């Protein structure tokens, strides 16, 4: 929700202000800006992109080996910068550290579908769903599988999966 995302940005910005090296908060703050952009909640998209990019760069310098932070950073790189190479790098690191990170598998699914590998994308989305079947963010996997099915020329399946996401 819009108000929840605003509050998340406020709290994450405060965490970043208190500890600029706390990469998880910084990466999540960048991701929250990406959410604001993607859901068309931003009055000034360019200002959010600039701030999100600054946060991505700051988090990248101190990210370490935190799979959740790496995944948040990969998601921010996709949503804010459309930088699939950078997103792939952070996703690969997250999955090397924690192969059971469902969010990272979902992110990998989107990277694959955007890169023209819809079959590989479906495999990644299905793995995310198996790892976290009750995940409140599982709608993302259904959206991604819908995109992948559309790319495979299966529009009826794409519609059904997208409806499941809703």
């Amino acid at each position: 929700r819009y108000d929840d995302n605003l509050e998340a940005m406020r709290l994450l910005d405060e965490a970043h202000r208190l500890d600029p090296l706390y990469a998880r908060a910084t990466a999540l703050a960048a991701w929250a800006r990406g959410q604001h952009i993607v859901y068309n909640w931003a009055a000034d998209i360019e200002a959010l992109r600039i701030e999100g990019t600054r946060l991505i760069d700051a988090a990248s310098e101190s990210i370490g080996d935190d799979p959740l932070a790496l995944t948040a950073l990969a998601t921010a790189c996709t949503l804010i910068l459309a930088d699939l190479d950078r997103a792939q790098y952070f996703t690969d690191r997250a999955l090397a550290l924690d192969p059971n990170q469902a969010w990272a598998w979902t992110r990998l699914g989107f990277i694959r579908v955007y890169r023209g590998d819809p079959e590989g994308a479906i495999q990644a989305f299905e793995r995310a769903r198996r790892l976290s079947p009750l995940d409140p963010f599982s709608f993302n996997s259904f959206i991604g599988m819908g995109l992948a099915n559309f790319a495979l020329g299966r529009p009826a399946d794409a519609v059904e999966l997208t409806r499941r996401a809703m």
Side-chain angles (χ1 to χ4, degrees), residues 71 91 95 98-110 112 121 123-125 127-129 131 141:
T71 304
T91 302
L95 289 170
D98 181 2
N100 295 316
Q101 172 59 263
W103 187 15
W105 282 105
T106 299
R107 181 55 27 210
L108 181 60
F110 279 107
R112 286 178 175 172
Q123 291 172 0
F125 291 125
R127 182 148 184 194
R129 296 236 336 107
L131 288 169
S141 289

Side-chain angles (χ1 to χ4, degrees), residues 15 37 88 108:
I37 291 167
Q88 179 85 53
L108 181 60

Side-chain angles (χ1 to χ4, degrees), residues 84 88 105-125 144-145 147-152 154:
L84 297 181
Q88 179 85 53
W105 282 105
T106 299
R107 181 55 27 210
L108 181 60
F110 279 107
I111 292 167
R112 286 178 175 172
V113 80
Y114 296 154
R115 287 197 157 151
D117 179 14
E119 295 284 358
I122 290 170
Q123 291 172 0
F125 291 125
M145 287 188 289
L147 287 171
N149 274 275
F150 186 79
L152 287 166
R154 301 189 297 235

Side-chain angles (χ1 to χ4, degrees), residues 33-115:
R33 275 148 179 96
Q35 292 290 98
H36 227 65
I37 291 167
V38 167
Y39 288 123
N40 291 315
W41 293 334
D44 187 348
I45 290 175
E46 189 55 32
L48 269 184
R49 282 192 199 288
I50 291 167
E51 180 61 14
T53 301
R54 186 189 68 75
L55 291 165
I56 288 168
D57 292 342
S60 295
E61 293 175 13
S62 60
I63 196 76
D65 290 337
D66 179 346
L68 183 105
L70 288 161
T71 304
L73 196 53
T75 306
C77 286
T78 304
L79 300 179
I80 295 170
L81 305 174
D83 186 340
L84 297 181
D85 290 337
R86 208 163 166 191
Q88 179 85 53
Y89 171 77
F90 291 125
T91 302
D92 288 347
R93 280 186 57 198
L95 289 170
L97 292 163
D98 181 2
N100 295 316
Q101 172 59 263
W103 187 15
W105 282 105
T106 299
R107 181 55 27 210
L108 181 60
F110 279 107
I111 292 167
R112 286 178 175 172
V113 80
Y114 296 154
R115 287 197 157 151

